[in-house]
Amino acid sequence: MTKKQDVEFHLPSLEHRQFRDDEFWKEIPGWENIDRETFADAKWQLKSSIRKVEQVEKVLGDKVSKELMDDIRAGQHITPMNIRITPYVFSLIDWDNPIDDPLRKQFLPLGSQFLPDHPYDMGDSLAEDVDSPVPEIVHRYPDKVLFLPITICPVYCSYCTRSRLIGGSTEAIPKDTYGASKAKWEPVFEYLKKHKAIEDVVISGGDAFMLTPEHILHIGRSLLAIPNIRRIRYATKGIAIFPQKILTDDAWYEAIRTVHQEGKAMGKQVVIHTHFSSPIEITRWSQLAMERLFSDGIIVRNQAVLQAGVNDDVETMVLLTRKLGWINVQPYYVYMFDMVPGCEHFRTTLREGIEIEKAVRGTTSGFNTPTFVCDLPGGGGKRHVASYEYYDEENGISVWTAPNVKPGEVFTYFDPIHKLSVEAQKRWGDEKLRKLMVEEAIKKAGF
Ligand SMILES: *Cc1c(COP(=O)(O)O)cnc(C)c1O
Ligand code: SF4
């Protein structure tokens, strides 16, 4: 073997170091007179968020066609999620080509894009309600829990995994959305105190950006005071879709900073988990927000969702990964889609997930490389995409186990039917055949 003296690495580009810093919102007719200072104001962002179809039409004026508006209206009859979009995200959408825009796809669904739900979709696909010992807690793993103190967010993703709860009822589904309520949290803290095996709490929902500074402090300090709790994560999509809050909502920022400082003094970790899915979401604003968090020593990790037409190609996923790394956000997970209603058009096959993971690995630092996981329907928890027991690719059926979460149980995950062969699609159309195929796959897996 010859020794190479100087290896020429294949670096496609340094695009991941480019951050948009123009006044892009001025291209939206309704905001053409908004100056940078106003745009940076968290209160203005919240107040000016788009929450109704009529507002889309109003701010865009003649930049939006009648056909597109009709399609958006049609989407509102089907989507499980209400509309809520910050001006920041709304103006990052390429309104000259909204149909293909990854941000438009995520936050403003079109009626024409929806596909029939998969027959095995479920509102609570991850069986979180079953694993909930007290309200607002999901306790599935031995030493960590999910705490859901709020069910509203600054932006609603049309593919939300908790669409059964988050963001208020829509035409398609009624929901038990709830706001933050301190009284409900005492039993949560009691539970965590009593169960000494628990060390790690994910404060999710919902979105921690919608908790008041007082709530942030109250939750943070109550958790830090529990001796067995060593790690706290505040989960917020905020840094991705509303970085202005980190920059100009000083009361909220100060609350997070305080909990982090107090945790540090006690030898405990307080971090933020965020949710960027597209490199388009990462601008100079994200970079500034991260500079503030980084200077205070607050670690931020990212959980993305693998979405068709948003990030399901190698180039985009590598760009997302490296761009996050550049601004000191640690790419943590990329999720396969959960099998919840209203998402079929977004889902990819497991094989696609595995192939993209293979291509991303090796492109940057290992600690900045996300783990691609499938959160198993039925509550098996998160598993590495390539760790299935058996995969019938022809029929899109994968079989899994979760030895430490649900020992002895067998789980299945299904590829989107529209991506299968015509013959397989026909088989899925037959209810009896469908059941047989799943049974067969489980048998082939050895169970
Ligand atoms: C995802 C999740 C967690 C956190 O899991 P990590 O793999 O540590 O990020 C905790 N509890 C539940 C129920 C979860 O779904
Ligand atoms: S930010 Fe999270 S909880 Fe909120 S709508 Fe999006 S996916 Fe759902």
Side-chain angles (χ1 to χ4, degrees):
M1 214 169 104
T2 52
K3 197 173 160 205
K4 266 194 188 165
Q5 290 298 319
D6 191 3
V7 187
E8 270 296 322
F9 284 107
H10 174 66
L11 263 188
S13 75
L14 296 179
E15 194 187 338
H16 69 285
R17 300 181 191 170
Q18 308 290 319
F19 299 91
R20 208 170 164 181
D21 194 24
D22 57 323
E23 299 190 332
F24 49 84
W25 61 90
K26 293 193 170 172
E27 285 165 34
I28 307 293
W31 297 324
E32 62 191 1
N33 297 319
I34 298 299
D35 59 20
R36 196 174 274 267
E37 200 187 332
T38 308
F39 194 75
D41 179 16
K43 280 198 229 75
W44 183 84
Q45 286 283 336
L46 209 54
K47 192 176 72 197
S48 312
S49 288
I50 304 289
R51 306 191 60 173
K52 289 201 173 74
V53 174
E54 297 74 57
Q55 289 169 301
V56 175
E57 210 163 17
K58 199 169 159 215
V59 292
L60 285 174
D62 54 15
K63 229 179 149 67
V64 63
S65 68
K66 188 183 168 304
E67 291 73 42
L68 190 76
M69 281 312 305
D70 287 345
D71 211 350
I72 292 172
R73 264 183 217 106
Q76 289 305 297
H77 301 308
I78 310 169
T79 180
M81 296 301 290
N82 277 304
I83 300 178
R84 184 161 188 165
I85 314 174
T86 51
Y88 171 70
V89 165
F90 192 86
S91 48
L92 281 174
I93 293 172
D94 176 6
W95 286 104
D96 294 327
N97 185 14
I99 305 282
D100 297 324
D101 188 89
L103 302 192
R104 199 282 308 148
K105 283 181 185 168
Q106 292 181 80
F107 309 114
L108 194 59
L110 301 179
S112 61
Q113 77 191 16
F114 284 99
L115 294 170
D117 287 333
H118 192 282
Y120 292 139
D121 273 355
M122 278 182 296
D124 182 18
S125 176
L126 303 181
E128 293 187 325
D129 298 342
V130 179
D131 278 341
S132 179
V134 285
E136 305 195 359
I137 282 246
V138 184
H139 188 186
R140 164 164 308 148
Y141 303 92
D143 74 346
K144 58 190 179 188
V145 298
L146 200 56
F147 171 26
L148 312 172
I150 193 165
T151 53
I152 52 174
C153 309
V155 157
Y156 291 127
C157 316
S158 76
Y159 54 87
C160 179
T161 182
R162 286 190 201 104
S163 59
R164 69 185 191 282
L165 286 176
I166 306 292
S169 301
T170 65
E171 279 182 49
I173 43 168
K175 306 184 192 183
D176 299 318
T177 299
Y178 54 86
S181 144
K182 254 170 117 169
K184 291 212 196 124
W185 302 338
E186 281 318 307
V188 169
F189 303 140
E190 281 311 309
Y191 181 86
L192 299 178
K193 237 177 261 171
K194 215 163 73 203
H195 292 81
K196 300 204 172 3
I198 302 167
E199 301 176 359
D200 177 353
V201 183
V202 184
I203 305 157
S204 185
D207 193 305
F209 255 38
M210 302 309 271
L211 293 168
T212 63
E214 201 230 334
H215 290 149
I216 295 281
L217 283 172
H218 176 68
I219 292 175
R221 285 179 170 151
S222 304
L223 294 177
L224 287 176
I226 302 171
N228 46 291
I229 302 301
R230 302 282 299 162
R231 303 178 290 277
I232 303 175
R233 336 175 193 171
Y234 287 96
T236 172
K237 193 177 170 67
I239 301 171
I241 47 80
F242 186 11
Q244 291 78 12
K245 189 173 171 93
I246 298 288
L247 296 166
T248 61
D249 186 344
D250 286 336
W252 190 90
Y253 185 81
E254 200 46 38
I256 286 282
R257 202 185 64 86
T258 303
V259 178
H260 172 258
Q261 284 289 104
E262 292 180 5
K264 195 165 96 174
M266 299 167 83
K268 299 186 178 195
Q269 273 186 40
V270 178
V271 307
I272 293 181
H273 276 207
T274 195
H275 175 189
F276 286 92
S277 279
S278 161
I280 300 171
E281 292 158 342
I282 311 174
T283 65
R284 179 70 187 141
W285 294 91
S286 338
Q287 197 178 27
L288 289 171
M290 280 310 301
E291 280 169 13
R292 186 169 195 191
L293 288 157
F294 190 77
S295 72
D296 281 314
I298 301 173
I299 286 175
V300 179
R301 305 192 188 105
N302 190 64
Q303 314 195 165
V305 182
L306 181 60
Q307 300 171 63
V310 173
N311 57 18
D312 66 335
D313 61 284
V314 172
E315 206 183 319
T316 306
M317 194 55 88
V318 170
L319 182 59
L320 172 66
T321 304
R322 302 186 76 215
K323 212 166 173 179
L324 288 170
W326 186 260
I327 64 169
N328 289 319
V329 175
Q330 213 173 314
Y332 174 44
Y333 280 148
V334 174
Y335 288 98
M336 295 299 298
F337 246 96
D338 292 332
M339 298 200 56
V340 291
C343 291
E344 212 52 16
H345 59 289
F346 273 130
R347 296 208 304 126
T348 61
T349 63
L350 180 67
R351 175 57 59 202
E352 289 171 294
I354 293 169
E355 290 304 321
I356 295 173
E357 130 92 34
K358 270 202 232 171
V360 171
R361 190 155 297 279
T363 58
T364 187
S365 315
F367 55 79
N368 273 344
T369 304
T371 303
F372 284 56
V373 292
C374 180
D375 210 342
L376 297 178
K382 300 171 183 70
R383 310 298 303 176
H384 186 279
V385 283
S387 68
Y388 54 81
E389 303 293 330
Y390 176 74
Y391 185 12
D392 168 3
E393 282 190 59
E394 165 64 17
N395 295 309
I397 304 169
S398 46
V399 182
W400 308 72
T401 54
N404 206 35
V405 177
K406 300 272 161 73
E409 280 187 43
V410 177
F411 299 87
T412 42
Y413 181 80
F414 305 102
D415 292 342
I417 293 171
H418 70 279
K419 295 207 169 175
L420 305 177
S421 70
V422 179
E423 294 75 38
Q425 291 190 24
K426 267 201 210 118
R427 287 192 286 273
W428 271 97
D430 180 330
E431 213 168 310
K432 265 210 208 107
L433 215 49
R434 180 195 296 168
K435 266 199 192 134
L436 279 177
M437 289 191 306
V438 177
E439 281 167 18
E440 180 87 13
I442 293 174
K443 220 184 287 160
K444 284 217 174 112
F447 302 101

